[in-house]
Amino acid sequence: GDLGDTTEPVIGTATIDALGDLVGTPLDVRRFRPNVLITTRDGRPFEEDAWVGRVLSFGEAGQDAAVFV
């Protein structure tokens, strides 16, 4: 189907860690039920908020797997 048909839940590991720090206990990623879990190079929490409405591509140019966020 078209990438615009559905969206995929995405969360970064840094975001989960930051939320755990806020509540004072480590959090299990399964609580968030993401379809895509990403560890970014920068490791900044909440970085994925800027990706909403965009397409994330994985792989080599021209042969990418992609998801709509």
Side-chain angles (χ1 to χ4, degrees):
D2 183 6
L3 286 177
D5 289 347
T6 62
T7 60
E8 297 296 329
V10 174
I11 195 165
T13 55
T15 298
I16 294 170
D17 292 343
L19 291 170
D21 290 345
L22 286 172
V23 298
T25 189
L27 299 177
D28 189 326
V29 66
R30 294 174 293 182
R31 295 176 70 75
F32 300 92
R33 301 178 52 147
N35 286 355
V36 179
L37 177 64
I38 295 179
T39 301
T40 62
R41 288 185 180 144
D42 295 337
R44 288 179 289 152
F46 309 105
E47 192 171 4
E48 63 276 22
D49 290 349
W51 306 338
V52 174
R54 303 186 71 193
V55 175
L56 295 180
S57 297
F58 305 90
E60 300 295 325
Q63 298 178 351
D64 301 357
V67 295
F68 187 72
V69 179

